Amino acid sequence: MALPSSSIRAASSTVYPAYLGLHQNPNSHHAPFRPSKTNHANTCKCIESPKIARRSLFFLPATFLLLHTSSSLAVDDTNMSSTLAIDTTITDRIFMDFSVCPSYFRSDRPLGAELSSCPDSEPFGRVVFGLYGRLLPITVANFKATCTAAAYRGTLVHKLLQGQFFSAGRQGFRRDKGEVQPPSGLIRNSETVNPKAFKLRHARPGTLSLCLGENDDDDDIKLNPNYHNVEFLVTTGPGPCPELDGQNIVFGTVLEGMDVITSIATIPTYKPAERIRFFNDFAQLIGDERAQTARALWDRPLKTVYISDCGELKVTKQSLSPPSLP
């Protein structure tokens, strides 16, 4: 039997939530759904579930949206807590004095003279690094041992990518070219293959990192069974360097002397012409070893910046790193 038109208008103008529209709508022509009494004789009969009207999906309770949002935020909080759990306590302090040697390329420079004995050295300033000894004990111990043994003294800053970072500590046997000879007694660094060692990011200027992906040591040196990687890089800013993340190990930060880092970053560098880059790429493609030797001169500062002195500063009390890290 058809309902009166007034009843149809009243039913269509009334909006009910999904759960009320199914059970308590008095104007609905469907019979209300009432749970039947327990009857053991009818337990094998299947009860057809009521059909939900399409328009009732738009009126879901607000608690569903709140629960869905809170669950997604809980995932983000978990990731954030894992990042904040990294122990960046500064356990050691290392200083490095940077200088410029104007007479390095002069023809009357004594053959084989080391950079540490430059007669007309011009000081840049001192930089103090704080090291994360609890997070990366092996990397910090090797770096500190190389500094205290004065192996970094006379080391050349051999690469500078303006707006990103500079590198120092390239390993070799030519002290007159500013190469490093690591001291004996260094520990074999197993942290270079540990995924946990790559959690810190190069997120701010003054980040101290062990060069792995950016390492410039020759292949014949790396193949030595007693090889120890001592090359490091320092980010210069002004922004982060995400391309270094996951490839190099962050193990410290600049505590003092950020103005020295900024001054080094402003030095112009050698940029080969496009034609030279093309021939170098072709030489590397055919396996010419001279291509790698030529590339070692790219991005080199046009001023001879080197480490004139280095050592350890005693820490009386361990302190936490700045809150902006990692």
Side-chain angles (χ1 to χ4, degrees):
M1 181 180 66
L3 294 174
S5 60
S6 60
S7 301
I8 296 175
R9 287 194 299 268
S12 61
S13 61
T14 306
V15 178
Y16 295 91
Y19 49 86
L20 291 178
L22 291 176
H23 308 298
Q24 300 179 8
N25 186 352
N27 297 325
S28 175
H29 59 278
H30 297 286
F33 177 78
R34 298 185 180 88
S36 59
K37 296 182 179 180
T38 304
N39 188 354
H40 297 284
N42 298 329
T43 53
C44 297
K45 295 182 180 180
C46 297
I47 302 174
E48 184 179 359
S49 60
K51 296 182 179 180
I52 301 176
R54 182 177 300 177
R55 67 178 184 177
S56 64
L57 296 177
F58 294 97
F59 302 102
L60 292 175
T63 55
F64 173 79
L65 299 177
L66 292 175
L67 290 174
H68 180 71
T69 306
S70 62
S71 62
S72 61
L73 290 176
V75 175
D76 295 338
D77 292 341
T78 304
N79 295 334
M80 184 180 299
S81 61
S82 63
T83 303
L84 296 177
I86 301 176
D87 189 356
T88 55
T89 303
I90 294 175
T91 58
D92 305 274
R93 285 179 171 86
I94 294 295
F95 75 89
M96 286 187 176
D97 296 335
F98 290 88
S99 303
V100 177
C101 183
S103 61
Y104 181 74
F105 293 105
R106 285 174 53 177
S107 58
D108 58 346
R109 178 173 175 262
L111 186 63
E114 297 186 9
L115 275 172
S116 57
S117 59
C118 179
D120 54 351
S121 177
E122 299 176 359
F124 249 127
R126 171 168 291 191
V127 178
V128 178
F129 296 102
L131 310 181
Y132 307 143
R134 292 184 182 177
L135 180 64
L136 299 160
I138 300 178
T139 303
V140 168
N142 287 345
F143 183 77
K144 185 172 66 172
T146 308
C147 287
T148 54
Y152 282 128
R153 186 179 300 167
T155 299
L156 187 69
V157 176
H158 62 273
K159 181 190 289 186
L160 170 60
L161 272 68
Q162 293 180 341
Q164 299 183 49
F165 65 93
F166 70 79
S167 301
R170 182 181 180 185
Q171 197 168 152
F173 304 100
R174 298 289 303 273
R175 294 290 296 171
D176 57 327
K177 291 188 175 182
E179 296 177 342
V180 178
Q181 294 181 6
S184 59
L186 296 184
I187 309 171
R188 184 167 296 277
N189 196 346
S190 59
E191 293 170 350
T192 58
V193 293
N194 187 356
K196 296 181 179 179
F198 297 88
K199 286 186 176 182
L200 290 179
R201 302 184 301 270
H202 301 76
R204 62 189 294 270
T207 299
L208 177 63
S209 183
L210 181 68
C211 288
L212 296 179
E214 303 297 330
N215 188 279
D216 299 303
D217 293 336
D218 295 334
D219 292 336
D220 55 347
I221 295 178
K222 293 180 181 179
L223 294 176
N224 190 330
N226 298 321
Y227 171 73
H228 296 282
N229 186 9
V230 294
E231 185 177 343
F232 65 93
L233 64 86
V234 182
T235 57
T236 59
C241 296
E243 65 277 2
L244 301 177
D245 297 341
Q247 302 181 22
N248 307 277
I249 299 178
V250 176
F251 67 96
T253 185
V254 173
L255 300 179
E256 301 176 17
M258 195 61 206
D259 55 332
V260 179
I261 302 296
T262 305
S263 300
I264 296 175
T266 58
I267 297 176
T269 58
Y270 170 70
K271 300 290 184 183
E274 190 66 28
R275 180 165 164 266
I276 297 178
R277 289 179 179 270
F278 173 78
F279 282 112
N280 188 278
D281 292 340
F282 178 75
Q284 190 175 21
L285 181 64
I286 63 177
D288 194 339
E289 296 180 356
R290 295 173 295 179
Q292 184 178 0
T293 305
R295 282 178 180 268
L297 300 176
W298 296 5
D299 300 312
R300 174 164 290 190
L302 296 181
K303 290 184 178 180
T304 309
V305 183
Y306 70 101
I307 301 173
S308 55
D309 196 10
C310 58
E312 181 184 6
L313 298 175
K314 296 298 181 180
V315 179
T316 57
K317 184 179 180 181
Q318 297 179 357
S319 61
L320 296 177
S321 59
S324 58
L325 292 177

